[in-house]
Amino acid sequence: MEVFFKEYQITDDKEKINRQVVLDYLAQSYWANRRTPERILKSIDNSHSYGVYHNEKQIGFARVVTDEATVYYLCDVFVIKEYQGQGIGKKLIEIITKSEEYEWMTGILGTLDAHGLYEQYGFERDSERFMRRIPQGRET
């Protein structure tokens, strides 16, 4: 899949992903800053990953984890700061949520600060239904 939006390219071609850009951004994020680089790289490999590019420079990213039948989890969505406010993140979410691949699946995600963005694409706040178990880890 490849879509052009303004002067930006959005694609699910994993070969184009600049893994260092993703590592650097997620290391500073509130949701992934405790993940190891190895775990982040493995998550990219084992997910449907989307990159956003401006003149071959990666400026955005999103990942979808799915059973490919009933549910998908949208995560690690970002647009680097210099490119925010131009509708790039909205276009990325639109492309993912309106794709034939996911249109009949239940979509879930977690966010602390972007509820308004995701509500525009049919996501609803549901704090009473969903539960989570944070990683427990093992002491060695």
Side-chain angles (χ1 to χ4, degrees):
M1 179 277 311
E2 181 178 66
V3 174
F4 289 92
F5 170 69
K6 301 180 183 178
E7 63 268 16
Y8 308 106
Q9 176 193 31
I10 301 171
T11 180
D12 61 355
D13 181 354
K14 274 190 203 179
E15 298 299 315
K16 286 189 62 110
I17 293 173
N18 183 327
R19 292 164 186 264
Q20 193 60 54
V21 169
V22 177
L23 287 169
D24 291 346
Y25 191 94
L26 293 181
Q28 301 300 315
S29 72
Y30 69 80
W31 68 88
N33 61 7
R34 298 184 76 191
R35 290 184 207 157
T36 65
E38 295 79 19
R39 193 164 296 279
I40 291 170
L41 294 173
K42 186 173 184 178
S43 74
I44 293 168
D45 290 338
N46 292 319
S47 302
H48 296 193
S49 299
Y50 298 80
V52 183
Y53 305 90
H54 182 240
N55 298 327
E56 299 300 315
K57 174 186 175 187
Q58 184 159 358
I59 62 158
F61 179 78
R63 238 175 14 96
V64 175
V65 180
T66 181
D67 65 3
E68 299 186 10
T70 62
V71 67
Y72 69 88
Y73 174 59
L74 178 61
C75 52
D76 294 342
V77 179
F78 71 82
V79 173
I80 61 173
K81 190 171 182 90
E82 306 90 84
Y83 291 88
Q84 292 175 4
Q86 299 180 50
I88 299 165
K90 288 180 178 182
K91 189 64 175 181
L92 178 59
I93 300 306
E94 176 187 309
I95 288 167
I96 292 169
T97 58
K98 292 188 176 183
S99 74
E100 286 184 34
E101 191 170 9
Y102 306 122
E103 70 180 338
W104 292 105
M105 293 185 200
T106 298
I108 57 175
L109 61 83
T111 185
L112 292 177
D113 59 358
H115 297 90
L117 167 65
Y118 295 110
E119 287 169 344
Q120 295 174 51
Y121 300 95
F123 287 92
E124 300 172 348
R125 297 176 197 219
D126 190 355
S127 60
E128 298 197 15
R129 180 172 177 196
F130 292 104
M131 299 177 71
R132 72 179 178 126
R133 178 181 180 274
I134 61 171
Q136 302 297 303
R138 290 182 237 169
E139 291 186 33
T140 55

